[in-house]
Amino acid sequence: MNLLSILLMAGQEGGSGGGIGAFLPLILIIVVFYFFMIRPQMKKTKELKKFRENLKKGDKIVTIGGIHGKIVEEQDTTFTIEVEGQTRLRIEKSAVAMNGETIEEKK
């Protein structure tokens, strides 16, 4: 007898535990992952997208890389920001991490 035939025989003998009861732990794990990991991440992504869409000229921002600046021009997918010393940088909108005014309030 090989291993496959042994496993098939073992599955036929214990027929009382079938149905949805066998999948209940898997379903519970998926539900827990959804409510504690996937759903909060989707909510956070949605809020960040809304924040980036509402940015306008004159807003202070902080990029993902930690660069603080003020928006001086807005294009379709990029911002031109002015950093200290009147230096201008063009960054992608997706690189904006947070509002710069909230950082200044914490200091």
Side-chain angles (χ1 to χ4, degrees), residues 35-49:
F35 281 107
F36 288 106
M37 300 179 94
I38 298 169
R39 189 167 180 248
Q41 184 64 36
M42 288 174 25
K43 185 177 178 183
K44 185 178 178 182
T45 303
K46 192 176 193 180
E47 289 174 358
L48 187 58
K49 182 179 178 185

Side-chain angles (χ1 to χ4, degrees), residues 69-103:
K70 181 176 159 184
I71 299 174
V72 293
E73 190 178 333
E74 181 179 357
Q75 294 84 24
D76 288 335
T77 59
T78 61
F79 288 124
T80 301
I81 64 171
E82 189 173 276
V83 295
E84 195 169 325
Q86 278 60 37
T87 305
R88 291 183 176 211
L89 301 171
R90 185 177 308 173
I91 62 166
E92 290 291 320
K93 287 184 177 182
S94 61
V96 176
M98 65 182 79
N99 192 342
E101 293 170 358
T102 58
I103 298 294

Side-chain angles (χ1 to χ4, degrees), residues 25-43:
L26 181 62
I27 292 169
L28 288 175
I29 290 171
I30 291 171
V31 169
V32 167
F33 269 102
Y34 177 76
F35 281 107
F36 288 106
M37 300 179 94
I38 298 169
R39 189 167 180 248
Q41 184 64 36
M42 288 174 25
K43 185 177 178 183

Side-chain angles (χ1 to χ4, degrees), residues 8 15 18 20 34-35 48 53 59 63 67 81 89 99 104:
L8 289 174
I20 196 154
Y34 177 76
F35 281 107
L48 187 58
E53 288 174 353
D59 288 345
T63 67
I67 299 172
I81 64 171
L89 301 171
N99 192 342
E104 292 175 5

